[in-house]
Amino acid sequence: MVVCGDDGLAHRLAAELRGVYREQVTLVVPPSGRRASQPAVGRARAASAALLGLVNAAVNRSAGGDPNDIGPEPELEAAEPTEDVLAAAGVDRAAALALVYDDDETNIRAALTARRLNPRLRLVLRLYNRRLGRHIEELLDQSAALATGHDRDAGLDGAGASTTVLSDADTAAPALAATALVGTSKVLETDGVLLRAAERQPPRPGEVADPGLCTLALLSATSSDPAGTDGSESSGEHGPQLLPDAAAARAATGRGTVVLEQVSYSGPPLPVVRAGVPPFGELFSRRLRWSLAGLGVCVVALAVALMVVTEDHPLHATYVTLLDLFAINEPAHKEDPGRQILQLLSGFVGLLLLPVLLAAVLEALGTFRSASALRKPPRGLGGHVVLLGLGKIGTRVLTRLREMDIPVVCVEADPEARGMATARRLRVPVVLGDVTQEGVLEAAKIHRAHSLLALTSADTTNLEAVLYARSVRSGLRVVLRLYDDDFATAVYRTLRAAHPGALTRSRSVTHLSAPAFAGAMMGRQILGAIPVERRVLLFAAVKVAGHPQLEGKTVGEAFRAGAWRVLALEVSDGGPGDEAGAGGEGPRESRLVWELPDTYVLRSEDRVVLAATRRGLAELLGRRTRRRTDV
């Protein structure tokens, strides 16, 4: 594997590939003087080296091998990923290449060069522009198909060349959204469904534990930390047991479990307001509507009175009343006294009507002009998420939260920020102002909020906002985006000690997005990885054909305790590609069925999602662990 990047994501990704998937990695980074966010990158590299040392030593000891069997990854320093640099990194012999520079143009240029050097290379690109990413992905896949003479879809299950375009903002957004809702980043997104691995305490006597979608693991120990943890760090006398069978789950008493759940939100949603022309009730204020109604009644009364006095036709009487109302009729000094009095009253009502009509026009214009403007938090709002920062990350998290119909109030200091247009389009309330100033968080209804997501680009701003929010509401759930790992650890421990009854999480975008990039480098069948204490559980999409452990067996028979378990089945929703419409043309629409009966027989044309250990997935896919050979 070859990883090229200029920030902490490159080092995180290298650590993920070696620590989880046991792959050989060559890292290409800029020279020390030109690296972005140098302190954060240095700490990420040190943390990666420490993590790799622990994981590799533990894995080799458990396998009876030398703990020092796998050394640190080779590292090349280059200002840009030119053709010579990629060749020196061994791209022509590599299985996969990740281009995770912060600049989209640099990644695209290097991807085109790498595809020419190795048409069978699996490419993973980091691009923020999703529309451009789709076009680049199709272009590179088509180029690989023409160069190799294979179908461009041959790499759907990890075989052959493929191109995957990812965004760190897109991959981290589900985890950040889930952390704000349920307090954990152990999430997996597939088929538009957000799943999480939830740790549960052992049930009390007489209680029946909810198994969720399935039981993934038995923990070695449970934590009584009221703030919660993301997995126990103690191994205990017995380590965690991944994918236990029913007998083992029943026999395990006093041990916590990890179950798979679907993330949902049951709080009050914001009222749905369509963008475009506002309803009539929002065009004019209530006072103006009553004024118009009162003047209309007066006009009708004057027309009826004129019709009675002059015995005129109703239409002509209304016409004359309107002429008198707008002072464009001839004076009635030669008419009878009744007619003269009605003309004077009509003129007086006309004087009152003209300013009201002018106010109505101005108010309607203001309403149409503000229809695309920012909304203010509605009165009585509660149970919402306060989102600080509408930059690259905050915009993606806002979109994810609104897709789940979760009420959000945003706080942004820059009126020209990247996510302001998205907030207008989604009709999300936004408070413009510096979050460090007094009264800004109060305007966002922080005292009635469900959680606070501090996602600005400044660590001190996020920390100050969280500390002030905790002073307003001590039990508020907070999630901080912090770049510095040491700073994040110190903040987390201090906030947890100061507020033991509230949930606090500090998250790094590179740490959250690295597993998705690593899974894409391993092949498109890898959907994600979830840590269970010091072990890892992988989620993969696999075609049943060609796997005798699955083909022709029921879901219950295909389950192997401690190795793999079938979780979901991909089925078509009446599309032309299913059995009923075999031979039809057009796109095939599919979805995942998560609650499969144990008696369902897996067919060769089925595609399933399964949870597996690292060794179990390697055995199922026929992969062999590679050893380094000294030359």
Side-chain angles (χ1 to χ4, degrees), residues 152-215:
R152 58 179 296 181
D153 293 330
L156 289 179
D157 279 329
S162 65
T163 306
T164 305
V165 176
L166 296 175
S167 168
D168 54 343
D170 286 334
T171 53
L176 290 170
T179 306
L181 297 180
V182 295
T184 180
S185 61
K186 296 179 181 178
V187 296
L188 176 72
E189 184 184 16
T190 176
D191 195 41
V193 178
L194 198 63
L195 306 171
R196 71 159 176 168
E199 296 182 9
R200 294 184 178 177
Q201 302 291 339
R204 298 178 181 177
E207 292 183 351
V208 179
D210 183 10
L213 294 176
C214 68
T215 301

Side-chain angles (χ1 to χ4, degrees), residues 448-529:
R448 293 199 298 265
H450 173 269
S451 56
L452 170 66
L453 269 169
L455 304 180
T456 68
S457 57
D459 288 1
T460 55
T461 300
N462 294 334
L463 178 59
E464 183 176 355
V466 167
L467 292 177
Y468 182 77
R470 280 284 169 83
S471 67
V472 176
R473 183 180 176 185
S474 59
L476 181 69
R477 174 178 292 173
V478 297
V479 181
L480 294 89
R481 174 193 177 189
L482 299 177
Y483 287 89
D484 193 304
D485 293 337
D486 299 336
F487 184 52
T489 302
V491 167
Y492 169 73
R493 291 176 177 174
T494 305
L495 286 177
R496 185 178 62 176
H499 302 277
L503 189 141
T504 304
R505 289 290 180 264
S506 58
R507 293 289 179 257
S508 168
V509 174
T510 58
H511 182 76
L512 294 174
S513 57
F517 281 82
M521 293 187 71
M522 294 302 300
R524 296 186 181 181
Q525 81 278 9
I526 303 294
L527 301 178

Side-chain angles (χ1 to χ4, degrees), residues 116-446:
R116 186 177 68 256
L117 294 176
N118 187 353
R120 297 183 180 275
L121 184 68
R122 186 179 300 120
L123 282 173
V124 178
L125 281 76
R126 172 189 182 182
L127 297 180
Y128 181 79
N129 192 330
R130 290 182 290 184
R131 178 178 298 179
L132 176 61
R134 288 193 296 266
H135 295 312
I136 292 296
E137 186 173 318
E138 294 176 358
L139 175 64
L140 292 175
D141 279 348
Q142 184 176 0
S143 174
L146 293 176
T148 58
H150 292 84
D151 184 13
R152 58 179 296 181
D153 293 330
L156 289 179
D157 279 329
S162 65
T163 306
T164 305
V165 176
L166 296 175
S167 168
D168 54 343
D170 286 334
T171 53
L176 290 170
T179 306
L181 297 180
V182 295
T184 180
S185 61
K186 296 179 181 178
V187 296
L188 176 72
E189 184 184 16
T190 176
D191 195 41
V193 178
L194 198 63
L195 306 171
R196 71 159 176 168
E199 296 182 9
R200 294 184 178 177
Q201 302 291 339
R204 298 178 181 177
E207 292 183 351
V208 179
D210 183 10
L213 294 176
C214 68
T215 301
L216 298 178
L218 298 175
L219 297 176
S220 58
T222 57
S223 173
S224 59
D225 181 9
T229 59
D230 282 344
S232 173
E233 292 295 334
S234 60
S235 59
E237 183 180 357
H238 303 286
Q241 185 176 355
L242 302 183
L243 302 175
D245 54 16
R250 289 193 299 267
T253 57
R255 298 176 63 179
T257 59
V258 178
V259 299
L260 190 65
E261 297 178 334
Q262 181 175 348
V263 176
S264 60
Y265 180 75
S266 58
L270 286 176
V272 179
V273 179
R274 295 180 301 176
V277 179
F280 178 79
E282 295 186 4
L283 283 176
F284 311 111
S285 63
R286 183 178 180 182
R287 182 178 300 177
L288 186 59
R289 292 198 301 268
W290 278 110
S291 299
L292 289 173
L295 292 176
V297 171
C298 292
V299 171
V300 172
L302 289 173
V304 172
L306 182 61
M307 181 183 62
V308 172
V309 171
T310 61
E311 298 181 355
D312 201 354
H313 190 272
L315 292 179
H316 188 266
T318 304
Y319 172 71
V320 172
T321 302
L322 292 177
L323 292 179
D324 294 336
L325 196 68
F326 296 108
I328 56 178
N329 196 10
E330 294 182 359
H333 58 275
K334 296 182 179 180
E335 303 289 339
D336 56 89
R339 172 71 182 87
Q340 294 176 353
I341 294 175
L342 289 177
Q343 190 177 51
L344 291 176
L345 291 176
S346 299
F348 179 73
V349 172
L351 293 177
L352 299 177
L353 180 61
L354 290 178
V356 173
L357 291 178
L358 180 60
V361 172
L362 295 178
E363 194 167 292
L365 290 177
T367 303
F368 276 105
R369 185 172 57 253
S370 62
S372 60
L374 298 174
R375 299 182 62 213
K376 295 182 180 180
R379 296 181 179 178
L381 178 64
H384 58 287
V385 175
V386 177
L387 176 62
L388 308 184
L390 285 176
K392 183 173 66 173
I393 305 299
T395 303
R396 294 289 194 255
V397 174
L398 171 62
T399 304
R400 172 62 57 185
L401 292 172
R402 291 306 295 141
E403 285 176 353
M404 294 188 290
D405 200 25
I406 297 170
V408 185
V409 174
C410 300
V411 179
E412 176 57 52
D414 183 11
E416 302 297 329
R418 184 193 298 266
M420 297 299 285
T422 303
R424 290 188 181 94
R425 177 175 56 85
L426 298 177
R427 303 287 289 162
V428 174
V430 177
V431 177
L432 284 176
D434 188 354
V435 70
T436 61
Q437 295 180 353
E438 186 176 357
V440 175
L441 283 178
E442 283 83 353
K445 315 292 183 183
I446 192 64

